[in-house]
């Protein structure tokens, strides 16, 4: 009898322990990834949001700015591409890893002599030392170059069209308000005008005031000066066409006229963060070319800035990063867009705009083998999505008493 009571007591304790164990198992906190997936499925399946895409989903990445924020070392060795952004009342410009971690300060308005950087205009030299930016002037948009190593202003000047750092980080090429192709020597802050303001070639007269764009192709040692050919007779000026004047970049010898870029790209382009490609935009379509073969189309890209062909892109306005699903990858969506938001005060978030990618020249050779998907939230699989949906559906039915 005593033995029977003992067995019953042991079984009772075991039952209580078992219930407690499984209760705790059910209360396990879901991962941050699962919480976000819950919200995605809830929005898609249980709300009236009817414009959901069957091929695309978005994901939010939380960015935490530490206090105090560390200063970016200009020659820091990076393991991920960087995203630069402006945030805060001090117009501070930060850099962070591609996955939103390790936020560091580049500079603020006080470093620039109280100049306020315009969002989405910061570019960084291939060696990481210099940044070029646009800032709000008294009556116009002005430009500046800042030295992150020596913490000083290199130069300020009126406007800066077609900005492009040289690969050796010794020069910045641009045109200012006068339209003259120019070279800023970064070590000294001296600006050299590379072409005359008025040029005659083969009976045609060209004026820098009619500049359409400049292009710098170091792979082929060329600088192009694209100018609108004007008919100034009669009551008003009329554009007769655009001519591409070709110079040998290394010594600025004029070589003549040539269709060096496609007609679309002759009006201007944006260089990709890895320095190998450039994008020309027409009718909201992004056409990617390589500097080694500037007239041979590489791809029509989904966004304006390519990080890795066929995989990773940043949109024109810097609102998000887009990832394409690779062949054979198990994710259920063809594309995933990542939006970055600064976490403030626990539950408050400020979505970042004007993101600009920076890839150190030293990282470019490693970029093709770098698996960026390994550091980013993955594309949900069909199995994950359906399991989440069934769980939420069961909870929804239980709440309604079904």
């Amino acid at each position: 009898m005593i033995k029977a009571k003992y067995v019953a007591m042991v079984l009772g304790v075991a039952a209580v322990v078992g219930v407690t164990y499984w209760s705790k198992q059910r209360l396990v906190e879901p991962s941050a990834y699962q919480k976000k997936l819950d919200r995605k499925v809830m929005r898609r399946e249980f709300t009236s949001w009817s414009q959901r895409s069957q091929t695309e989903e978005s994901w939010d990445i939380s960015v935490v700015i530490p206090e105090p924020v560390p200063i970016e070392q200009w020659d820091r060795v990076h393991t991920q591409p960087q995203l630069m952004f402006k945030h805060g009342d001090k117009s501070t410009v930060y850099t962070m890893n591609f996955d939103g971690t390790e936020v560091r300060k580049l500079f603020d308005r006080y470093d620039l002599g109280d100049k306020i950087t315009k969002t989405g205009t910061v570019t960084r030299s291939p060696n990481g030392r210099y940044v070029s930016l646009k800032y709000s002037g008294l009556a116009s948009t002005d430009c500046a170059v800042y030295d992150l190593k020596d913490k000083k202003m290199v130069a300020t000047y009126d406007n800066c069209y077609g900005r492009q750092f040289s690969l050796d980080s010794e020069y910045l090429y641009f045109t200012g308000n006068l339209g003259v192709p120019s070279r800023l020597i970064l070590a000294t802050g001296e600006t050299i005008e590379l072409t005359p303001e008025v040029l005659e070639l083969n009976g045609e007269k060209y004026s820098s005031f009619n500049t359409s764009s400049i292009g710098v192709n170091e792979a082929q040692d060329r600088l192009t000066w694209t100018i609108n050919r004007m008919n100034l007779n009669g009551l008003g000026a009329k554009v007769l066409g655009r001519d591409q004047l070709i110079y040998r970049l290394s010594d600025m010898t004029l070589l003549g006229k040539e269709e060096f870029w496609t007609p679309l790209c002759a009006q201007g382009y944006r260089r990709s963060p890895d320095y190998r490609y450039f994008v020309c935009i027409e009718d909201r379509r992004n056409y990617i070319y390589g500097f080694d073969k500037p007239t041979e189309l590489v791809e029509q890209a989904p966004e304006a800035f390519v990080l890795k062909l066929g995989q990773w892109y940043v949109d024109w306005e810097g609102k998000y990063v887009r990832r394409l699903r690779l062949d054979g990858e198990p994710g259920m969506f063809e594309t995933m867009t990542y939006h970055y938001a600064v976490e403030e005060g626990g539950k408050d978030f400020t979505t970042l705009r004007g993101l600009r990618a920076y890839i150190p020249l030293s990282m470019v050779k490693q970029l093709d083998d770098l698996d960026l998907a390994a550091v980013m939230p993955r594309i949900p699989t069909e199995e994950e999505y359906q399991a989440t949906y069934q769980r939420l559906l069961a909870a929804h039915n239980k709440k309604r008493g079904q």
Side-chain angles (χ1 to χ4, degrees), residues 32-41 43 57-62 320-321 333 335-341 376-380:
Y33 180 90
Q34 186 61 57
K35 287 181 179 179
K36 290 187 178 181
L37 183 56
D38 283 5
R39 290 197 291 270
K40 300 297 179 185
V41 175
R43 182 186 64 174
E57 186 54 272
S58 63
W59 205 268
D60 297 326
I61 295 180
S62 299
Y320 54 82
V321 168
F333 300 106
T335 69
M336 178 78 84
T337 57
Y338 297 94
H339 299 260
Y340 298 76
M376 300 291 281
R378 66 186 180 278
I379 300 176

PDB file of all heavy atoms in Angstrom, residues 32-41 43 57-62 320-321 333 335-341 376-380:
ATOM      1  N   ALA A  32      13.940  37.433 -33.183  1.00  0.00           N
ATOM      2  CA  ALA A  32      13.601  38.710 -33.820  1.00  0.00           C
ATOM      3  C   ALA A  32      13.167  38.488 -35.260  1.00  0.00           C
ATOM      4  O   ALA A  32      12.257  39.155 -35.764  1.00  0.00           O
ATOM      5  CB  ALA A  32      14.798  39.657 -33.746  1.00  0.00           C
ATOM      6  N   TYR A  33      13.815  37.537 -35.922  1.00  0.00           N
ATOM      7  CA  TYR A  33      13.447  37.221 -37.302  1.00  0.00           C
ATOM      8  C   TYR A  33      12.008  36.706 -37.363  1.00  0.00           C
ATOM      9  O   TYR A  33      11.222  37.128 -38.212  1.00  0.00           O
ATOM     10  CB  TYR A  33      14.405  36.170 -37.862  1.00  0.00           C
ATOM     11  CG  TYR A  33      14.111  35.769 -39.286  1.00  0.00           C
ATOM     12  CD1 TYR A  33      14.686  36.451 -40.351  1.00  0.00           C
ATOM     13  CD2 TYR A  33      13.259  34.699 -39.577  1.00  0.00           C
ATOM     14  CE1 TYR A  33      14.424  36.092 -41.665  1.00  0.00           C
ATOM     15  CE2 TYR A  33      12.988  34.327 -40.886  1.00  0.00           C
ATOM     16  CZ  TYR A  33      13.570  35.027 -41.922  1.00  0.00           C
ATOM     17  OH  TYR A  33      13.297  34.679 -43.217  1.00  0.00           O
ATOM     18  N   GLN A  34      11.651  35.793 -36.440  1.00  0.00           N
ATOM     19  CA  GLN A  34      10.301  35.230 -36.440  1.00  0.00           C
ATOM     20  C   GLN A  34       9.254  36.293 -36.117  1.00  0.00           C
ATOM     21  O   GLN A  34       8.153  36.293 -36.691  1.00  0.00           O
ATOM     22  CB  GLN A  34      10.207  34.087 -35.434  1.00  0.00           C
ATOM     23  CG  GLN A  34       8.877  33.351 -35.461  1.00  0.00           C
ATOM     24  CD  GLN A  34       8.589  32.715 -36.798  1.00  0.00           C
ATOM     25  OE1 GLN A  34       9.374  31.905 -37.297  1.00  0.00           O
ATOM     26  NE2 GLN A  34       7.457  33.074 -37.406  1.00  0.00           N
ATOM     27  N   LYS A  35       9.580  37.206 -35.221  1.00  0.00           N
ATOM     28  CA  LYS A  35       8.634  38.279 -34.898  1.00  0.00           C
ATOM     29  C   LYS A  35       8.329  39.114 -36.138  1.00  0.00           C
ATOM     30  O   LYS A  35       7.171  39.487 -36.389  1.00  0.00           O
ATOM     31  CB  LYS A  35       9.203  39.164 -33.783  1.00  0.00           C
ATOM     32  CG  LYS A  35       9.207  38.532 -32.399  1.00  0.00           C
ATOM     33  CD  LYS A  35       9.770  39.511 -31.375  1.00  0.00           C
ATOM     34  CE  LYS A  35       9.766  38.919 -29.983  1.00  0.00           C
ATOM     35  NZ  LYS A  35      10.329  39.870 -28.973  1.00  0.00           N
ATOM     36  N   LYS A  36       9.366  39.427 -36.893  1.00  0.00           N
ATOM     37  CA  LYS A  36       9.147  40.228 -38.101  1.00  0.00           C
ATOM     38  C   LYS A  36       8.395  39.426 -39.153  1.00  0.00           C
ATOM     39  O   LYS A  36       7.541  39.973 -39.857  1.00  0.00           O
ATOM     40  CB  LYS A  36      10.481  40.736 -38.648  1.00  0.00           C
ATOM     41  CG  LYS A  36      11.116  41.802 -37.763  1.00  0.00           C
ATOM     42  CD  LYS A  36      12.350  42.405 -38.399  1.00  0.00           C
ATOM     43  CE  LYS A  36      12.927  43.513 -37.503  1.00  0.00           C
ATOM     44  NZ  LYS A  36      14.121  44.150 -38.099  1.00  0.00           N
ATOM     45  N   LEU A  37       8.700  38.138 -39.246  1.00  0.00           N
ATOM     46  CA  LEU A  37       7.965  37.302 -40.185  1.00  0.00           C
ATOM     47  C   LEU A  37       6.500  37.214 -39.784  1.00  0.00           C
ATOM     48  O   LEU A  37       5.609  37.221 -40.649  1.00  0.00           O
ATOM     49  CB  LEU A  37       8.590  35.913 -40.248  1.00  0.00           C
ATOM     50  CG  LEU A  37       7.957  34.939 -41.253  1.00  0.00           C
ATOM     51  CD1 LEU A  37       7.959  35.530 -42.659  1.00  0.00           C
ATOM     52  CD2 LEU A  37       8.674  33.597 -41.223  1.00  0.00           C
ATOM     53  N   ASP A  38       6.219  37.157 -38.497  1.00  0.00           N
ATOM     54  CA  ASP A  38       4.827  37.174 -38.024  1.00  0.00           C
ATOM     55  C   ASP A  38       4.099  38.414 -38.527  1.00  0.00           C
ATOM     56  O   ASP A  38       2.955  38.338 -38.997  1.00  0.00           O
ATOM     57  CB  ASP A  38       4.781  37.138 -36.499  1.00  0.00           C
ATOM     58  CG  ASP A  38       5.043  35.748 -35.929  1.00  0.00           C
ATOM     59  OD1 ASP A  38       5.350  34.830 -36.722  1.00  0.00           O
ATOM     60  OD2 ASP A  38       4.948  35.584 -34.703  1.00  0.00           O
ATOM     61  N   ARG A  39       4.769  39.556 -38.428  1.00  0.00           N
ATOM     62  CA  ARG A  39       4.133  40.806 -38.857  1.00  0.00           C
ATOM     63  C   ARG A  39       3.898  40.802 -40.373  1.00  0.00           C
ATOM     64  O   ARG A  39       2.870  41.299 -40.851  1.00  0.00           O
ATOM     65  CB  ARG A  39       4.988  41.996 -38.440  1.00  0.00           C
ATOM     66  CG  ARG A  39       5.016  42.240 -36.934  1.00  0.00           C
ATOM     67  CD  ARG A  39       5.521  43.629 -36.599  1.00  0.00           C
ATOM     68  NE  ARG A  39       6.935  43.780 -36.894  1.00  0.00           N
ATOM     69  CZ  ARG A  39       7.906  43.522 -36.030  1.00  0.00           C
ATOM     70  NH1 ARG A  39       7.612  43.086 -34.809  1.00  0.00           N
ATOM     71  NH2 ARG A  39       9.177  43.706 -36.355  1.00  0.00           N
ATOM     72  N   LYS A  40       4.860  40.259 -41.127  1.00  0.00           N
ATOM     73  CA  LYS A  40       4.700  40.206 -42.576  1.00  0.00           C
ATOM     74  C   LYS A  40       3.511  39.320 -42.959  1.00  0.00           C
ATOM     75  O   LYS A  40       2.685  39.694 -43.802  1.00  0.00           O
ATOM     76  CB  LYS A  40       5.975  39.661 -43.232  1.00  0.00           C
ATOM     77  CG  LYS A  40       7.236  40.469 -42.971  1.00  0.00           C
ATOM     78  CD  LYS A  40       7.136  41.863 -43.532  1.00  0.00           C
ATOM     79  CE  LYS A  40       8.403  42.667 -43.235  1.00  0.00           C
ATOM     80  NZ  LYS A  40       8.283  44.077 -43.681  1.00  0.00           N
ATOM     81  N   VAL A  41       3.422  38.151 -42.341  1.00  0.00           N
ATOM     82  CA  VAL A  41       2.334  37.232 -42.651  1.00  0.00           C
ATOM     83  C   VAL A  41       1.003  37.810 -42.193  1.00  0.00           C
ATOM     84  O   VAL A  41      -0.014  37.710 -42.904  1.00  0.00           O
ATOM     85  CB  VAL A  41       2.587  35.857 -42.000  1.00  0.00           C
ATOM     86  CG1 VAL A  41       1.398  34.929 -42.214  1.00  0.00           C
ATOM     87  CG2 VAL A  41       3.863  35.232 -42.562  1.00  0.00           C
ATOM     88  N   ARG A  43       0.164  40.925 -41.982  1.00  0.00           N
ATOM     89  CA  ARG A  43      -0.242  41.987 -42.895  1.00  0.00           C
ATOM     90  C   ARG A  43      -0.757  41.414 -44.209  1.00  0.00           C
ATOM     91  O   ARG A  43      -1.762  41.878 -44.762  1.00  0.00           O
ATOM     92  CB  ARG A  43       0.950  42.913 -43.172  1.00  0.00           C
ATOM     93  CG  ARG A  43       0.621  44.092 -44.079  1.00  0.00           C
ATOM     94  CD  ARG A  43       1.860  44.884 -44.423  1.00  0.00           C
ATOM     95  NE  ARG A  43       2.800  44.085 -45.207  1.00  0.00           N
ATOM     96  CZ  ARG A  43       3.920  44.572 -45.737  1.00  0.00           C
ATOM     97  NH1 ARG A  43       4.251  45.836 -45.540  1.00  0.00           N
ATOM     98  NH2 ARG A  43       4.718  43.798 -46.438  1.00  0.00           N
ATOM     99  N   GLU A  57       9.079  41.140 -51.170  1.00  0.00           N
ATOM    100  CA  GLU A  57       8.801  41.470 -49.779  1.00  0.00           C
ATOM    101  C   GLU A  57       9.877  42.421 -49.282  1.00  0.00           C
ATOM    102  O   GLU A  57      10.943  42.551 -49.884  1.00  0.00           O
ATOM    103  CB  GLU A  57       8.761  40.200 -48.927  1.00  0.00           C
ATOM    104  CG  GLU A  57       8.328  40.408 -47.477  1.00  0.00           C
ATOM    105  CD  GLU A  57       7.007  41.133 -47.328  1.00  0.00           C
ATOM    106  OE1 GLU A  57       7.062  42.385 -47.299  1.00  0.00           O
ATOM    107  OE2 GLU A  57       5.952  40.483 -47.248  1.00  0.00           O
ATOM    108  N   SER A  58       9.580  43.128 -48.202  1.00  0.00           N
ATOM    109  CA  SER A  58      10.540  44.060 -47.607  1.00  0.00           C
ATOM    110  C   SER A  58      10.877  43.611 -46.198  1.00  0.00           C
ATOM    111  O   SER A  58      10.159  42.803 -45.590  1.00  0.00           O
ATOM    112  CB  SER A  58       9.960  45.481 -47.584  1.00  0.00           C
ATOM    113  OG  SER A  58       8.802  45.530 -46.769  1.00  0.00           O
ATOM    114  N   TRP A  59      11.980  44.144 -45.696  1.00  0.00           N
ATOM    115  CA  TRP A  59      12.442  43.777 -44.352  1.00  0.00           C
ATOM    116  C   TRP A  59      13.081  44.995 -43.721  1.00  0.00           C
ATOM    117  O   TRP A  59      13.819  45.730 -44.382  1.00  0.00           O
ATOM    118  CB  TRP A  59      13.451  42.635 -44.427  1.00  0.00           C
ATOM    119  CG  TRP A  59      13.526  41.825 -43.171  1.00  0.00           C
ATOM    120  CD1 TRP A  59      14.357  42.004 -42.120  1.00  0.00           C
ATOM    121  CD2 TRP A  59      12.704  40.695 -42.855  1.00  0.00           C
ATOM    122  NE1 TRP A  59      14.126  41.065 -41.153  1.00  0.00           N
ATOM    123  CE2 TRP A  59      13.104  40.243 -41.579  1.00  0.00           C
ATOM    124  CE3 TRP A  59      11.675  40.029 -43.518  1.00  0.00           C
ATOM    125  CZ2 TRP A  59      12.511  39.146 -40.956  1.00  0.00           C
ATOM    126  CZ3 TRP A  59      11.083  38.935 -42.896  1.00  0.00           C
ATOM    127  CH2 TRP A  59      11.499  38.501 -41.631  1.00  0.00           C
ATOM    128  N   ASP A  60      12.786  45.227 -42.445  1.00  0.00           N
ATOM    129  CA  ASP A  60      13.340  46.368 -41.722  1.00  0.00           C
ATOM    130  C   ASP A  60      14.574  45.950 -40.929  1.00  0.00           C
ATOM    131  O   ASP A  60      14.560  44.919 -40.252  1.00  0.00           O
ATOM    132  CB  ASP A  60      12.302  46.952 -40.759  1.00  0.00           C
ATOM    133  CG  ASP A  60      11.086  47.493 -41.495  1.00  0.00           C
ATOM    134  OD1 ASP A  60      11.262  47.996 -42.612  1.00  0.00           O
ATOM    135  OD2 ASP A  60       9.967  47.390 -40.964  1.00  0.00           O
ATOM    136  N   ILE A  61      15.617  46.752 -41.029  1.00  0.00           N
ATOM    137  CA  ILE A  61      16.842  46.516 -40.278  1.00  0.00           C
ATOM    138  C   ILE A  61      17.017  47.643 -39.266  1.00  0.00           C
ATOM    139  O   ILE A  61      17.055  48.816 -39.633  1.00  0.00           O
ATOM    140  CB  ILE A  61      18.060  46.439 -41.214  1.00  0.00           C
ATOM    141  CG1 ILE A  61      17.944  45.219 -42.127  1.00  0.00           C
ATOM    142  CG2 ILE A  61      19.360  46.395 -40.413  1.00  0.00           C
ATOM    143  CD1 ILE A  61      19.095  45.061 -43.089  1.00  0.00           C
ATOM    144  N   SER A  62      17.088  47.279 -37.997  1.00  0.00           N
ATOM    145  CA  SER A  62      17.235  48.268 -36.927  1.00  0.00           C
ATOM    146  C   SER A  62      18.690  48.705 -36.807  1.00  0.00           C
ATOM    147  O   SER A  62      19.596  47.868 -36.762  1.00  0.00           O
ATOM    148  CB  SER A  62      16.763  47.693 -35.588  1.00  0.00           C
ATOM    149  OG  SER A  62      15.396  47.334 -35.653  1.00  0.00           O
ATOM    150  N   TYR A 320      16.538  52.232 -49.935  1.00  0.00           N
ATOM    151  CA  TYR A 320      16.605  50.821 -49.568  1.00  0.00           C
ATOM    152  C   TYR A 320      17.702  50.118 -50.368  1.00  0.00           C
ATOM    153  O   TYR A 320      18.213  50.632 -51.367  1.00  0.00           O
ATOM    154  CB  TYR A 320      15.267  50.115 -49.814  1.00  0.00           C
ATOM    155  CG  TYR A 320      14.738  50.265 -51.226  1.00  0.00           C
ATOM    156  CD1 TYR A 320      15.205  49.450 -52.265  1.00  0.00           C
ATOM    157  CD2 TYR A 320      13.770  51.228 -51.529  1.00  0.00           C
ATOM    158  CE1 TYR A 320      14.721  49.593 -53.556  1.00  0.00           C
ATOM    159  CE2 TYR A 320      13.287  51.376 -52.823  1.00  0.00           C
ATOM    160  CZ  TYR A 320      13.766  50.549 -53.825  1.00  0.00           C
ATOM    161  OH  TYR A 320      13.299  50.700 -55.112  1.00  0.00           O
ATOM    162  N   VAL A 321      18.022  48.913 -49.905  1.00  0.00           N
ATOM    163  CA  VAL A 321      18.904  47.991 -50.613  1.00  0.00           C
ATOM    164  C   VAL A 321      18.032  46.862 -51.151  1.00  0.00           C
ATOM    165  O   VAL A 321      17.169  46.347 -50.435  1.00  0.00           O
ATOM    166  CB  VAL A 321      19.992  47.431 -49.672  1.00  0.00           C
ATOM    167  CG1 VAL A 321      20.724  46.260 -50.314  1.00  0.00           C
ATOM    168  CG2 VAL A 321      20.972  48.533 -49.284  1.00  0.00           C
ATOM    169  N   PHE A 333      10.277  34.530 -52.246  1.00  0.00           N
ATOM    170  CA  PHE A 333      10.138  35.787 -52.973  1.00  0.00           C
ATOM    171  C   PHE A 333      11.326  35.982 -53.909  1.00  0.00           C
ATOM    172  O   PHE A 333      12.450  35.616 -53.583  1.00  0.00           O
ATOM    173  CB  PHE A 333      10.028  36.967 -52.006  1.00  0.00           C
ATOM    174  CG  PHE A 333       8.859  36.875 -51.079  1.00  0.00           C
ATOM    175  CD1 PHE A 333       9.046  36.549 -49.742  1.00  0.00           C
ATOM    176  CD2 PHE A 333       7.575  37.118 -51.529  1.00  0.00           C
ATOM    177  CE1 PHE A 333       7.966  36.452 -48.877  1.00  0.00           C
ATOM    178  CE2 PHE A 333       6.484  37.028 -50.679  1.00  0.00           C
ATOM    179  CZ  PHE A 333       6.678  36.691 -49.342  1.00  0.00           C
ATOM    180  N   THR A 335      12.526  38.918 -54.887  1.00  0.00           N
ATOM    181  CA  THR A 335      13.362  40.026 -54.408  1.00  0.00           C
ATOM    182  C   THR A 335      13.006  40.369 -52.972  1.00  0.00           C
ATOM    183  O   THR A 335      11.872  40.147 -52.520  1.00  0.00           O
ATOM    184  CB  THR A 335      13.202  41.294 -55.274  1.00  0.00           C
ATOM    185  OG1 THR A 335      11.888  41.843 -55.064  1.00  0.00           O
ATOM    186  CG2 THR A 335      13.412  40.995 -56.736  1.00  0.00           C
ATOM    187  N   MET A 336      13.987  40.912 -52.276  1.00  0.00           N
ATOM    188  CA  MET A 336      13.786  41.415 -50.920  1.00  0.00           C
ATOM    189  C   MET A 336      14.398  42.810 -50.846  1.00  0.00           C
ATOM    190  O   MET A 336      15.540  43.011 -51.264  1.00  0.00           O
ATOM    191  CB  MET A 336      14.459  40.501 -49.897  1.00  0.00           C
ATOM    192  CG  MET A 336      14.352  40.969 -48.461  1.00  0.00           C
ATOM    193  SD  MET A 336      12.733  40.606 -47.751  1.00  0.00           S
ATOM    194  CE  MET A 336      12.988  38.902 -47.236  1.00  0.00           C
ATOM    195  N   THR A 337      13.622  43.769 -50.362  1.00  0.00           N
ATOM    196  CA  THR A 337      14.156  45.115 -50.164  1.00  0.00           C
ATOM    197  C   THR A 337      14.363  45.343 -48.668  1.00  0.00           C
ATOM    198  O   THR A 337      13.482  45.053 -47.858  1.00  0.00           O
ATOM    199  CB  THR A 337      13.220  46.195 -50.739  1.00  0.00           C
ATOM    200  OG1 THR A 337      11.923  46.074 -50.142  1.00  0.00           O
ATOM    201  CG2 THR A 337      13.107  46.071 -52.240  1.00  0.00           C
ATOM    202  N   TYR A 338      15.528  45.871 -48.326  1.00  0.00           N
ATOM    203  CA  TYR A 338      15.892  46.109 -46.931  1.00  0.00           C
ATOM    204  C   TYR A 338      15.850  47.605 -46.654  1.00  0.00           C
ATOM    205  O   TYR A 338      16.536  48.395 -47.302  1.00  0.00           O
ATOM    206  CB  TYR A 338      17.289  45.563 -46.646  1.00  0.00           C
ATOM    207  CG  TYR A 338      17.397  44.067 -46.814  1.00  0.00           C
ATOM    208  CD1 TYR A 338      17.817  43.522 -48.024  1.00  0.00           C
ATOM    209  CD2 TYR A 338      17.067  43.200 -45.780  1.00  0.00           C
ATOM    210  CE1 TYR A 338      17.912  42.146 -48.200  1.00  0.00           C
ATOM    211  CE2 TYR A 338      17.159  41.821 -45.942  1.00  0.00           C
ATOM    212  CZ  TYR A 338      17.574  41.301 -47.155  1.00  0.00           C
ATOM    213  OH  TYR A 338      17.665  39.939 -47.325  1.00  0.00           O
ATOM    214  N   HIS A 339      15.024  47.991 -45.689  1.00  0.00           N
ATOM    215  CA  HIS A 339      14.919  49.374 -45.242  1.00  0.00           C
ATOM    216  C   HIS A 339      15.616  49.497 -43.887  1.00  0.00           C
ATOM    217  O   HIS A 339      15.448  48.636 -43.014  1.00  0.00           O
ATOM    218  CB  HIS A 339      13.465  49.802 -45.125  1.00  0.00           C
ATOM    219  CG  HIS A 339      12.717  49.738 -46.418  1.00  0.00           C
ATOM    220  ND1 HIS A 339      12.481  50.845 -47.202  1.00  0.00           N
ATOM    221  CD2 HIS A 339      12.166  48.689 -47.081  1.00  0.00           C
ATOM    222  CE1 HIS A 339      11.813  50.487 -48.278  1.00  0.00           C
ATOM    223  NE2 HIS A 339      11.605  49.182 -48.237  1.00  0.00           N
ATOM    224  N   TYR A 340      16.376  50.570 -43.713  1.00  0.00           N
ATOM    225  CA  TYR A 340      17.138  50.781 -42.481  1.00  0.00           C
ATOM    226  C   TYR A 340      16.483  51.890 -41.660  1.00  0.00           C
ATOM    227  O   TYR A 340      16.093  52.926 -42.205  1.00  0.00           O
ATOM    228  CB  TYR A 340      18.580  51.161 -42.807  1.00  0.00           C
ATOM    229  CG  TYR A 340      19.344  50.096 -43.554  1.00  0.00           C
ATOM    230  CD1 TYR A 340      19.130  49.881 -44.916  1.00  0.00           C
ATOM    231  CD2 TYR A 340      20.288  49.299 -42.906  1.00  0.00           C
ATOM    232  CE1 TYR A 340      19.831  48.901 -45.615  1.00  0.00           C
ATOM    233  CE2 TYR A 340      21.001  48.317 -43.596  1.00  0.00           C
ATOM    234  CZ  TYR A 340      20.762  48.130 -44.948  1.00  0.00           C
ATOM    235  OH  TYR A 340      21.450  47.163 -45.634  1.00  0.00           O
ATOM    236  N   ALA A 341      16.358  51.661 -40.359  1.00  0.00           N
ATOM    237  CA  ALA A 341      15.735  52.655 -39.485  1.00  0.00           C
ATOM    238  C   ALA A 341      16.538  52.773 -38.201  1.00  0.00           C
ATOM    239  O   ALA A 341      16.914  51.764 -37.594  1.00  0.00           O
ATOM    240  CB  ALA A 341      14.292  52.280 -39.168  1.00  0.00           C
ATOM    241  N   MET A 376      22.819  39.187 -43.879  1.00  0.00           N
ATOM    242  CA  MET A 376      21.538  39.874 -43.980  1.00  0.00           C
ATOM    243  C   MET A 376      20.388  38.922 -43.650  1.00  0.00           C
ATOM    244  O   MET A 376      20.518  37.703 -43.809  1.00  0.00           O
ATOM    245  CB  MET A 376      21.364  40.428 -45.395  1.00  0.00           C
ATOM    246  CG  MET A 376      22.430  41.425 -45.800  1.00  0.00           C
ATOM    247  SD  MET A 376      22.334  42.975 -44.903  1.00  0.00           S
ATOM    248  CE  MET A 376      21.000  43.783 -45.783  1.00  0.00           C
ATOM    249  N   PRO A 377      19.238  39.455 -43.182  1.00  0.00           N
ATOM    250  CA  PRO A 377      18.069  38.589 -42.976  1.00  0.00           C
ATOM    251  C   PRO A 377      17.723  37.843 -44.264  1.00  0.00           C
ATOM    252  O   PRO A 377      17.673  38.422 -45.336  1.00  0.00           O
ATOM    253  CB  PRO A 377      16.967  39.582 -42.587  1.00  0.00           C
ATOM    254  CG  PRO A 377      17.702  40.756 -42.009  1.00  0.00           C
ATOM    255  CD  PRO A 377      18.978  40.857 -42.794  1.00  0.00           C
ATOM    256  N   ARG A 378      17.493  36.537 -44.145  1.00  0.00           N
ATOM    257  CA  ARG A 378      17.278  35.705 -45.324  1.00  0.00           C
ATOM    258  C   ARG A 378      15.861  35.907 -45.895  1.00  0.00           C
ATOM    259  O   ARG A 378      14.958  36.402 -45.224  1.00  0.00           O
ATOM    260  CB  ARG A 378      17.476  34.234 -44.981  1.00  0.00           C
ATOM    261  CG  ARG A 378      16.436  33.681 -44.008  1.00  0.00           C
ATOM    262  CD  ARG A 378      16.763  32.264 -43.597  1.00  0.00           C
ATOM    263  NE  ARG A 378      15.766  31.726 -42.676  1.00  0.00           N
ATOM    264  CZ  ARG A 378      15.740  31.960 -41.379  1.00  0.00           C
ATOM    265  NH1 ARG A 378      16.670  32.730 -40.840  1.00  0.00           N
ATOM    266  NH2 ARG A 378      14.796  31.432 -40.611  1.00  0.00           N
ATOM    267  N   ILE A 379      15.700  35.493 -47.126  1.00  0.00           N
ATOM    268  CA  ILE A 379      14.377  35.498 -47.739  1.00  0.00           C
ATOM    269  C   ILE A 379      13.594  34.317 -47.162  1.00  0.00           C
ATOM    270  O   ILE A 379      14.071  33.182 -47.207  1.00  0.00           O
ATOM    271  CB  ILE A 379      14.486  35.367 -49.268  1.00  0.00           C
ATOM    272  CG1 ILE A 379      15.290  36.539 -49.840  1.00  0.00           C
ATOM    273  CG2 ILE A 379      13.103  35.309 -49.903  1.00  0.00           C
ATOM    274  CD1 ILE A 379      15.537  36.443 -51.343  1.00  0.00           C
ATOM    275  N   PRO A 380      12.401  34.538 -46.600  1.00  0.00           N
ATOM    276  CA  PRO A 380      11.645  33.425 -46.003  1.00  0.00           C
ATOM    277  C   PRO A 380      11.342  32.341 -47.029  1.00  0.00           C
ATOM    278  O   PRO A 380      11.082  32.627 -48.203  1.00  0.00           O
ATOM    279  CB  PRO A 380      10.358  34.092 -45.521  1.00  0.00           C
ATOM    280  CG  PRO A 380      10.666  35.546 -45.434  1.00  0.00           C
ATOM    281  CD  PRO A 380      11.681  35.818 -46.488  1.00  0.00           C
TER     282      PRO A 380
END
